[in-house]
Amino acid sequence: MELLTLDEQKLLVWFGCENLKFTKKRLKMVVLYATDEDFRKLVFGLLRKLNTEEYASIYTDMFFDIRAEDDARKAARDQYLAVLSDTTGHEAEYLLRI
């Protein structure tokens, strides 16, 4: 089984849910509105992977693991920005608004 790239994981965070059927429907709708060919290839590649039996059997657990990793990444980023703001003062205040 191939691992998901970071971009594919981001797609699942943005458009996915714990139900594989609904996630596939959302991704197909995203492809309909996408104009960038590289983005369309990325979404089609993810859909191709999700249609395999390997991913279908572990999808729910995989989805929650990806969401947990994303939450941890965001918490680490916020903590880093808070430390940066404390050490640099007003110079890094704009980073907290990003």
Side-chain angles (χ1 to χ4, degrees):
M1 177 168 65
E2 297 178 53
L3 295 176
L4 295 180
T5 65
L6 185 59
D7 289 334
E8 291 170 337
Q9 291 179 12
K10 287 180 185 179
L11 284 174
L12 284 180
V13 169
W14 293 335
F15 302 111
C17 69
E18 63 270 2
N19 189 327
L20 179 61
K21 178 181 169 184
F22 295 143
T23 298
K24 287 190 217 178
K25 279 186 179 183
R26 275 192 213 102
L27 289 172
K28 288 174 185 175
M29 294 300 285
V30 167
V31 168
L32 289 176
Y33 291 111
T35 56
D36 183 36
E37 277 302 312
D38 292 334
F39 183 74
R40 291 173 66 109
K41 287 179 184 178
L42 176 68
V43 177
F44 276 130
L46 178 58
L47 281 168
R48 180 185 49 79
K49 286 180 183 179
L50 293 178
N51 280 330
T52 63
E53 193 62 38
E54 294 172 298
Y55 283 100
S57 63
I58 63 164
Y59 174 76
T60 303
D61 293 333
M62 179 181 68
F63 173 76
F64 285 119
D65 288 344
I66 289 171
R67 289 296 297 251
E69 288 174 16
D70 186 61
D71 291 343
R73 236 183 263 122
K74 287 178 183 176
R77 177 183 174 270
D78 291 344
Q79 184 180 14
Y80 171 75
L81 289 177
V83 169
L84 182 65
S85 176
D86 288 344
T87 57
T88 59
H90 68 280
E91 299 167 356
E93 275 185 27
Y94 71 94
L95 291 174
L96 294 173
R97 294 187 205 120
I98 296 175

